[in-house]
Amino acid sequence: MDTVLVTGGAGFIGSHFVKRLLKADDVARVTVLDALTYAGHKENLGEAFLSPKLTFVEGNILDTALVSELVAEHAAIVHFAAESHVDRSFFEAGNFLATNVLGTQILLDAAHRHGVTKFVHVSTDEVYGPLPTGKADELYPLRPSVPYAASKSAGDLIALSYFQTYGVPVSVTRSSNNYGTGQHPEKVIPLFMTRLFKGEPVTLHGRGEHVRNWLHVEDNCRGIDLVLRSGHPGEVYNIGGGTDLTGKELTEKILRVCGAGWESVAYVSDRRANDLRYAMDWSKIADSLGYHPVHDLEEGLAQTAHWYQNHPERWAPLLRNPHAPTAQIRVAPAAL
Ligand code: NAD
């Protein structure tokens, strides 16, 4: 575990995770491999660059030669790199399949060839699809509704198949919706906060009744760290324990921390394939690895709002062309 390759480490969750890893005494070297797509920013790593343990490599997980070279130099891999925005997956599903499925398989192949000691594949509760009632444990069927979730499901399955077929020590984490500092303002919490700080209205889909579980990014990172160190190969771990809220309830809380009122909210027609309710049972990671979230939602939202209010230089440039498509990724023939 002394050397760790983190893919997607310049993104939202990956950058929080890298900062956490760098503080650990038993981690000697962390390498970030990130293509710096529209969603990746070196600024997210900030003070991490002061650490002599960190190496940053700008590159694509679809680049088989680069991936092989880097994987050979590391004991463990934590794989965050992904196309992660559901709405974009409606318009550019090919990019989602390329990075989230083929990119994952390229990393797994390298992990198999070079005999890594641990491969953590970071995934999402969206793979379970909507649950009218009850909670999805790790054995619940995968019923993704949207191309993003389908590509993540396929990534999970190929990852687990490399454990079954070749014994690659893969563990999969599936977390609920993360929030915190440094998230791209296309995602709902920073989108609402940045609009409210600019004095613009925010829009609620449908009747605002969609239920999501909101997890502080540092709680998710703690869960992923536990899985990296003590998770069993071939196992899936749900990471939840945040707060279940309807869209309306979440909006109420965001309005409060941003000092705005309901006059700033407009209702719009529902997004396509908008799953009504996600709900996860995360007792496995709690019972087997001792995971417990510690962040309080109200405090976490206030801290997040404070950060967005004080760092317009980080998000304002990203709002200039919010609908710009991700650059099309070409898959080299050697990768096929
Ligand atoms: P993000 O979009 O903020 O970051 C993704 C990072 O991956 C970016 O830095 C981007 O440059 C990089 N990347 C994309 N394609 C790449 C490629 N082909 N090669 C190399 N790097 C590439 O995403 P996030 O919100 O930090 O999510 C990280 C992971 O966690 C993803 O796998 C996502 O599916 C999963 N996840 C996210 C959430 C959430 O609420 N954000 C919840 C559950 C699971």
Side-chain angles (χ1 to χ4, degrees):
M1 234 289 294
D2 63 335
T3 54
V4 187
L5 176 64
V6 180
T7 72
F12 166 49
I13 307 174
S15 58
H16 281 271
F17 187 75
V18 166
K19 288 177 200 162
R20 178 185 177 89
L21 268 191
L22 290 171
K23 288 185 198 139
D25 290 338
D26 61 344
V27 175
R29 193 154 50 84
V30 177
T31 301
V32 169
L33 171 60
D34 197 296
L36 298 180
T37 67
Y38 80 96
H41 303 280
K42 280 184 168 179
E43 293 76 11
N44 282 341
L45 286 164
E47 75 273 10
F49 280 108
L50 299 175
S51 170
K53 295 189 202 173
L54 180 70
T55 303
F56 184 88
V57 178
E58 180 176 348
N60 203 304
I61 59 168
L62 293 163
D63 181 340
T64 44
L66 175 63
V67 165
S68 182
E69 190 186 310
L70 290 174
V71 170
E73 296 167 357
H74 295 83
I77 301 174
V78 186
H79 175 36
F80 292 92
E83 288 295 340
S84 69
H85 190 44
V86 171
D87 290 17
R88 282 180 186 262
S89 77
F90 300 142
F91 307 106
E92 38 177 297
N95 280 342
F96 283 68
L97 292 177
T99 289
N100 301 359
V101 188
L102 188 55
T104 299
Q105 181 263 325
I106 287 170
L107 282 161
L108 290 160
D109 253 355
H112 171 43
R113 264 199 317 283
H114 297 294
V116 301
T117 58
K118 197 64 186 267
F119 188 118
V120 180
H121 173 68
V122 177
S123 190
T124 165
D125 65 347
E126 299 197 28
V127 298
Y128 299 121
L131 275 86
T133 56
K135 294 191 172 197
D137 66 10
E138 290 81 355
L139 298 175
Y140 195 85
L142 304 188
R143 293 197 182 106
S145 304
V146 292
Y148 162 68
S151 70
K152 292 299 291 185
S153 306
D156 292 14
L157 294 177
I158 193 72
L160 291 167
S161 82
Y162 268 63
F163 169 72
Q164 293 293 344
T165 310
Y166 307 112
V168 176
V170 173
S171 302
V172 175
T173 67
R174 293 182 182 143
S175 85
S176 51
N177 283 22
N178 287 217
Y179 72 94
T181 60
Q183 190 171 26
H184 194 287
E186 68 188 356
K187 304 282 170 43
V188 66
I189 289 181
L191 177 70
F192 277 24
M193 289 179 173
T194 55
R195 280 204 180 149
L196 292 169
F197 289 138
K198 287 190 299 169
E200 292 174 4
V202 299
T203 51
L204 252 182
H205 290 285
R207 292 158 62 187
E209 287 170 351
H210 303 88
V211 178
R212 301 289 183 265
N213 178 269
W214 293 97
L215 179 67
H216 195 284
V217 62
E218 282 165 16
D219 282 328
N220 187 21
C221 288
R222 184 173 327 98
I224 294 168
D225 202 0
L226 282 168
V227 173
L228 171 64
R229 290 161 191 282
S230 319
H232 290 289
E235 294 289 325
V236 177
Y237 296 90
N238 288 345
I239 304 179
T243 310
D244 290 332
L245 294 176
T246 63
K248 230 192 251 172
E249 290 165 338
L250 175 69
T251 304
E252 173 76 43
K253 291 185 188 303
I254 295 175
L255 290 172
R256 195 173 321 133
V257 295
C258 293
W262 278 98
E263 67 283 358
S264 305
V265 181
Y267 283 86
V268 294
S269 58
D270 205 358
R271 195 177 75 179
R272 70 183 92 183
N274 199 358
D275 292 338
L276 191 56
R277 176 176 175 268
Y278 295 139
M280 263 192 322
D281 175 348
W282 49 279
S283 54
K284 177 175 170 179
I285 191 170
D287 296 344
S288 61
L289 304 183
Y291 162 81
H292 288 288
V294 299
H295 286 271
D296 171 74
L297 181 75
E298 312 278 340
E299 277 171 29
L301 284 178
Q303 170 217 25
T304 304
H306 183 76
W307 187 88
Y308 280 95
Q309 191 164 27
N310 288 291
H311 291 283
E313 80 287 355
R314 292 284 299 281
W315 50 264
L318 306 179
L319 292 175
R320 279 196 197 115
N321 189 3
H323 301 300
T326 306
Q328 289 293 319
I329 294 169
R330 279 181 196 284
V331 181
L336 294 170

